[in-house]
Amino acid sequence: MTPVSSAPSYEKLKKQKAIDDWLPITSSRNAKWWYSAFHNVTAMVGAGVLSLPYAMSNLGWGPGVVILILSWTITFYTLWQMVEMHEMVPGKRFDRYHELGQHAFGEKLGLYIVVPQQLICEVGVDIVYMVTGGKSLQKVHDLVCKGSKPIKTTYFIMIFASVHFVLAHLPNFNSISGVSLAAAVMSLSYSTIAWSASVHKGKQPNVEYGYKATTTSGTVFDFFTALGDVAFAYAGHNVVLEIQATIPSTPERPSKGPMWRGVVIAYIVVALCYFPVALVGYYVFGNIVEDNILISLDKPTWLIVAANMFVVVHVIGSYQLYAMPVFDMIETVMVTKLHFKPSGLLRFITRNLYVAFTMFVAITFPFFGGLLGFFGGFAFAPTTYFLPCIMWLAIYKPKKFSLSWCTNWICIILGLLLMILSPIGGLRNIIKSAKHYKFYS
């Protein structure tokens, strides 16, 4: 009897292995530790860093500095948890965020909790990056071709999207490591330009650090929006397990060693990008800083053009990094649930449709700032600030009132506050900007 029953299961395993070897996240497991460093920098340091001085102007010095440092510390801790949990079951790897969710909360519930949030984050980031890429290209054009006929933002978003119709067909994480490295270098470059150009410009003569809004309600709403901006600045957790899945692992040398080394370096780079930009930018411009600090820095033109081009290269890399887990989800559903044959044609069609979808949404709703606050609070706060803590409590069950238990509960409470408060401010901003908005302008 045994050979007969094991034959189908062997066939099933073989079929599963063939699918795993084709899917973008599990197909290539030979990444080096430094891949994890620059993938994490690319995922973490988004174009959100340029809005940090503006967030500071809505938070004020005291709360602003506290929230920046708290966010850095909490997200560093939750990232460590995710790296630890990747291989906590001997012989099994949780290659995707939702697989860890299923282990913590059960097969069905894990999917329902993690997948919608992860999709909102990844697709949301991709849409926002379409807008950012398009707007940065537009800024380069406006600075270089002064006095020429203006071109619609719509067209610049299309130009930016055209790159992704090509890059989206790179099969897996390791194949985009070159793009990702370029993006990581760029993020450090434009962050350095942003704060060093501010230092060069010097503190503005009539600088003020009070809150901009004239009414109390305005100040409070702006404060909530700024919370969302800060949450969005630390949104790399959605792709952490997927990055770790590309690192080889053996029982003697688990993947968490090299992964953790990469993460620590990435977080040092994150601190070097975020803190100088946020603090110097706010110190120099005070509460008149724009929601993208490069707009406040008009001169010297060549430097601002360079910084905007760096932003474009960086968001090209980031877009691909966040799109990869989405491609993985789409392709998994297509092959396992809808029984399509794993083929190049299937990949070509699904990925082009995804890029076209994000481009269409970006062209239709390009009010960038409000969307950030809204998505930031809604989806980034849970996946980054407290879902890893809830999973940790569910799986490891630390003793009540022990250090681990208290730390996790503090993170959960702070994360929940962030999730509830920041979308309120973001939604108000969307409504305000939608009043004056013309479609496809």
Side-chain angles (χ1 to χ4, degrees):
M1 285 303 281
T2 354
V4 184
S5 65
S6 69
S9 66
Y10 171 70
E11 278 304 311
K12 202 172 155 192
L13 278 172
K14 195 173 157 193
K15 197 173 165 192
Q16 186 55 47
K17 186 172 179 334
I19 291 173
D20 278 347
D21 288 345
W22 182 74
L23 287 172
I25 287 180
T26 42
S27 63
S28 168
R29 290 198 193 269
N30 54 4
K32 309 280 184 286
W33 70 266
W34 56 85
Y35 283 24
S36 94
F38 55 73
H39 279 326
N40 274 304
V41 171
T42 304
M44 192 76 69
V45 183
V49 62
L50 298 172
S51 67
L52 284 178
Y54 180 71
M56 282 291 295
S57 75
N58 287 328
L59 294 169
W61 275 119
V65 173
V66 169
I67 288 164
L68 272 177
I69 293 172
L70 256 184
S71 299
W72 191 86
T73 318
I74 291 175
T75 53
F76 194 35
Y77 171 64
T78 53
L79 200 56
W80 170 78
Q81 288 181 314
M82 292 188 75
V83 172
E84 285 290 314
M85 288 191 284
H86 178 73
E87 292 174 293
M88 62 190 168
V89 177
K92 186 169 168 43
R93 295 181 72 170
F94 297 114
D95 293 324
R96 299 166 180 88
Y97 206 147
H98 64 84
E99 290 176 11
L100 182 60
Q102 287 171 301
H103 179 70
F105 307 123
E107 283 297 312
K108 273 262 163 59
L109 186 62
L111 271 184
Y112 291 141
I113 290 177
V114 178
V115 171
Q117 296 195 38
Q118 201 183 2
L119 275 176
I120 289 174
C121 287
E122 284 159 357
V123 179
V125 166
D126 279 347
I127 292 166
V128 167
Y129 281 170
M130 275 280 180
V131 179
T132 312
K135 287 200 167 164
S136 297
L137 280 175
Q138 188 175 22
K139 188 128 175 38
V140 170
H141 168 264
D142 294 349
L143 285 168
V144 175
C145 313
K146 281 201 167 88
S148 65
K149 210 174 116 201
I151 301 175
K152 287 181 180 178
T153 315
T154 303
Y155 297 137
F156 284 106
I157 294 176
M158 286 175 168
I159 294 167
F160 180 72
S162 62
V163 182
H164 295 294
F165 282 112
V166 179
L167 287 180
H169 302 295
L170 290 168
N172 54 35
F173 257 126
N174 286 347
S175 63
I176 59 168
S177 54
V179 183
S180 180
L181 174 62
V185 172
M186 291 301 152
S187 57
L188 195 56
S189 310
Y190 69 69
S191 301
T192 310
I193 288 178
W195 69 260
S196 54
S198 300
V199 169
H200 178 72
K201 196 157 186 167
K203 192 172 171 181
Q204 297 304 292
N206 49 357
V207 71
E208 283 182 16
Y209 298 118
Y211 293 124
K212 263 199 305 281
T214 42
T215 58
T216 313
S217 63
T219 308
V220 173
F221 277 127
D222 286 346
F223 192 92
F224 290 166
T225 312
L227 284 177
D229 286 347
V230 174
F232 184 79
Y234 293 96
H237 293 48
N238 291 291
V239 288
V240 165
L241 293 174
E242 286 82 351
I243 294 168
Q244 194 168 348
T246 62
I247 295 178
S249 179
T250 58
E252 303 78 55
R253 300 189 61 184
S255 64
K256 69 180 180 191
M259 179 68 185
W260 182 238
R261 201 180 315 161
V263 167
V264 170
I265 288 180
Y267 252 75
I268 293 169
V269 174
V270 166
L272 289 175
C273 288
Y274 283 12
F275 291 105
V277 174
L279 304 175
V280 173
Y282 182 43
Y283 174 73
V284 169
F285 294 105
N287 61 14
I288 54 167
V289 70
E290 296 280 350
D291 66 352
N292 175 343
I293 187 156
L294 294 180
I295 300 172
S296 295
L297 296 162
D298 283 343
K299 308 254 179 315
T301 309
W302 64 270
L303 191 65
I304 307 308
V305 168
N308 276 295
M309 277 320 292
F310 291 169
V311 172
V312 172
V313 174
H314 175 224
V315 290
I316 287 173
S318 285
Y319 182 97
Q320 290 304 323
L321 202 67
Y322 278 96
M324 206 50 88
V326 184
F327 295 153
D328 185 82
M329 282 188 211
I330 298 171
E331 286 162 19
T332 304
V333 169
M334 289 298 214
V335 172
T336 55
K337 297 276 183 287
L338 304 175
H339 303 295
F340 278 87
K341 199 172 156 292
S343 66
L345 182 66
L346 175 69
R347 201 162 256 181
F348 182 77
I349 294 168
T350 50
R351 293 187 178 193
N352 276 344
L353 283 173
Y354 175 75
V355 175
F357 166 75
T358 53
M359 177 183 82
F360 173 71
V361 179
I363 289 170
T364 313
F365 307 107
F367 19 87
F368 173 58
L371 289 174
L372 265 189
F374 191 64
F375 282 129
F378 221 43
F380 296 112
T383 49
T384 307
Y385 287 79
F386 63 88
L387 253 184
C389 298
I390 295 174
M391 290 177 184
W392 188 272
L393 290 173
I395 294 163
Y396 287 108
K397 301 185 177 52
K399 221 167 55 235
K400 252 189 189 168
F401 305 113
S402 63
L403 181 64
S404 165
W405 188 88
C406 292
T407 315
N408 284 312
W409 273 108
I410 291 168
C411 293
I412 292 168
I413 292 161
L414 291 171
L416 271 171
L417 282 172
L418 190 66
M419 182 178 105
I420 296 159
L421 297 178
S422 60
I424 303 172
L427 190 61
R428 171 173 169 267
N429 280 7
I430 294 173
I431 294 165
K432 269 168 62 180
S433 50
K435 273 185 197 159
H436 316 291
Y437 177 64
K438 292 184 187 66
F439 272 108
Y440 306 115
S441 54

